[in-house]
Amino acid sequence: MRIVEVREVTKPIASPIRNAYIDFSKMTASLVAVVTDVIRDGKPVVGYGFNSNGRYGQGGLIRERFRDRILQADSKSLLDDARDNIDPAKVWAAMMQNEKPGGHGERSVAVGTLDMAVWDAVAKIENKPLFRLLAERHGREANPSVFVYAAGGYYYPGKDNTALCAEMRGYLDRGYNVVKMKIGGASLEEDRGRIEAVLKEIGSRAQLAVDANGRFDLETGIAYAKMLRDYPLFWYEEIGDPLDYALQAAISEFYPGAMATGENLFSHQDARNLLRYGGMRPDRDWLQFDCALSYGLVEYLRTLEVLKQFGWSPSRCIPHGGHQMSLMIAAGLGLGGNESYPDLFQPYGGFPDGVRVENGRVTMPELPGIGFEGKSDLIQVMRELAS
Ligand SMILES: O=C([O-])CC(=O)C(=O)O
Ligand SMILES: [Mg+2]
């Protein structure tokens, strides 16, 4: 049993939206296929992966370093002999040989993308949904019903509060009961008006989270905290620079409600520093580490270990990124839920065809692997890459 080929293509996921920090007019993502020599139903098992929005495709790193380390490794050294399967942790170690520690910028995206494809292949080889395989290996009960919230509310040329409210109402109509919008890309007073308009629109049918995308300095973050604490928000997200743990800790003195952060922390070491120094509160705050940006599930398992050491439950994690991989981890390992972008980043985001959001939850179907085969627009581009 071996990995015979690794393919990458960089795809556009551009749109005219903008958050407080970047616009998405040139956004791309890497799509990868990991082809094995294992035959199921007369065809080779192929695992697929892609990275989440926000960090661009990683074709250069994948093609120049990580693909060759997988293909050039002794194939036996990548196997889990006891399970007669590929061992994702060994593939991970092969990819990371001759990589220095620290400085976890973007190679973590390249490795996370390939790691997703490896797990997809591993679960397909066992002919199980990945969430069932994870629950089994970790001695847990799987729960295929997962909380999801609708992320959007971007700044958009010509978008006024009427359009923003219509967008949010559309999410409620599709079964969501938590919605998220961007802040920090306008003045505080303008953002207050946007928030009040949305709160009035959604009424008691849903809760609202707000996301500053790391834009604020301490003073602005506090000014917003004082404004936002007047409203019953679901969370106040990524207030300042993702690596400024002292800022995060200081804001907690001004904001008693829930805060969320972590989508731009790419390693278990960075996650540990957040828990050590960021003043995050395990009884109310949320952690958004996204395996597809941060060295994959092999690393995410280490991050979950760190959480345990610091007294955090996996149920405080609601990953960034809106992909099916995190849905699998949520259903298999008991995360608190997952992000979703109902109108953005297609065909990569979302759920298998026919899966509906009901009362803010989706139920994972019993598809082998991550379940990409159940999403027709997505599997089409994946198969184009593999064939
Ligand atoms: O706008 C983005 O970069 C995405 C983001 O922060 C989120 O989904 O939380
Ligand atoms: Mg965010």
Side-chain angles (χ1 to χ4, degrees):
M1 175 182 304
R2 56 189 208 94
I3 295 170
V4 294
E5 211 176 322
V6 176
R7 293 194 181 169
E8 188 275 346
V9 63
T10 301
K11 294 277 199 182
I13 50 167
S15 67
I17 58 174
R18 154 177 93 76
N19 65 33
Y21 223 103
I22 62 165
D23 71 54
F24 286 73
S25 59
K26 302 249 165 27
M27 188 53 62
T28 59
S30 279
L31 178 64
V32 300
V34 167
V35 184
T36 73
D37 66 352
V38 179
I39 303 294
R40 289 277 179 278
D41 302 325
K43 282 183 274 176
V45 171
V46 183
Y48 297 104
F50 53 86
N51 64 273
S52 311
N53 70 81
R55 286 283 164 173
Y56 301 94
Q58 301 293 325
L61 288 182
I62 290 171
R63 286 192 294 269
E64 286 168 20
R65 297 217 294 279
F66 297 109
R67 173 183 64 182
D68 291 350
R69 288 191 191 136
I70 297 176
L71 294 176
Q72 287 165 9
D74 172 5
S75 56
K76 283 199 196 62
S77 74
L78 304 181
L79 295 184
D80 176 341
D81 292 323
R83 295 191 175 100
D84 196 22
N85 204 334
I86 294 159
D87 184 336
K90 290 182 182 165
V91 178
W92 195 95
M95 284 195 277
M96 289 295 286
Q97 63 182 289
N98 288 326
E99 293 287 325
K100 281 186 167 182
H104 299 284
E106 309 213 345
R107 74 176 171 199
S108 66
V109 182
V111 172
T113 305
L114 292 165
D115 173 273
M116 186 190 293
V118 170
W119 282 101
D120 187 37
V122 164
K124 283 171 178 163
I125 288 169
E126 293 196 16
N127 200 25
K128 286 176 193 149
L130 178 59
F131 74 90
R132 298 233 171 259
L133 177 144
L134 290 175
E136 246 170 61
R137 291 190 180 184
H138 291 266
R140 297 182 61 101
E141 185 93 35
N143 179 3
S145 163
V146 179
F147 164 74
V148 288
Y149 72 93
Y154 281 81
Y155 299 98
Y156 190 106
K159 184 173 179 181
D160 58 10
N161 287 352
T162 312
L164 177 64
C165 289
E167 179 193 342
M168 296 296 159
R169 167 144 311 255
Y171 300 146
L172 270 49
D173 292 345
R174 277 174 271 179
Y176 292 93
N177 56 24
V178 175
V179 296
K180 184 165 94 180
M181 63 183 270
K182 298 299 178 183
I183 58 168
S187 70
L188 184 145
E189 277 315 313
E190 197 179 317
D191 277 340
R192 184 204 291 276
R194 293 169 67 246
I195 290 167
E196 286 189 350
V198 170
L199 286 173
K200 190 156 163 252
E201 180 70 35
I202 65 178
S204 57
R205 282 176 67 193
Q207 279 187 284
L208 174 65
V210 297
D211 185 359
N213 283 96
R215 180 79 269 180
F216 298 150
D217 59 15
L218 182 60
E219 217 178 322
T220 314
I222 291 171
Y224 266 79
K226 289 179 177 172
M227 181 267 280
L228 295 171
R229 68 192 183 193
D230 290 343
Y231 304 101
L233 297 180
F234 193 71
W235 70 46
Y236 176 19
E237 173 175 337
E238 218 182 24
I239 297 150
D241 187 274
L243 291 167
D244 191 340
Y245 305 120
L247 178 151
Q248 180 66 42
I251 301 283
S252 62
E253 296 184 28
F254 296 86
Y255 194 75
M259 294 190 282
T261 194
E263 71 179 65
N264 289 302
L265 299 183
F266 290 167
S267 65
H268 79 274
Q269 294 92 342
D270 283 347
R272 186 167 59 206
N273 280 336
L274 176 68
L275 300 190
R276 271 183 186 150
Y277 306 118
M280 297 286 282
R281 302 151 300 184
D283 65 335
R284 75 196 80 163
D285 292 332
W286 300 97
L287 303 171
Q288 300 173 294
F289 318 120
D290 174 357
C291 68
L293 299 178
S294 56
Y295 294 113
L297 172 54
V298 169
E299 178 75 4
Y300 196 80
L301 293 171
R302 297 183 190 122
T303 299
L304 290 177
E305 262 317 298
V306 167
L307 260 60
K308 199 154 118 196
Q309 286 160 16
F310 282 80
W312 283 72
S313 159
S315 67
R316 301 312 300 174
C317 295
I318 301 184
H320 165 271
H323 47 76
Q324 285 171 252
M325 179 70 177
S326 285
L327 285 173
M328 291 291 118
I329 303 174
L333 299 180
L335 308 187
N338 196 29
E339 182 167 21
S340 109
Y341 307 94
D343 294 331
L344 295 168
F345 311 124
Q346 289 306 327
Y348 302 96
F351 317 115
D353 302 338
V355 171
R356 297 273 164 272
V357 183
E358 282 172 293
N359 296 319
R361 304 186 79 83
V362 289
T363 301
M364 290 296 94
E366 302 289 326
L367 294 165
I370 298 172
F372 297 133
E373 279 70 9
K375 190 167 190 291
S376 48
D377 55 354
L378 177 56
I379 197 62
Q380 188 182 333
V381 293
M382 289 173 156
R383 287 196 176 126
E384 276 165 23
L385 174 64
S387 64

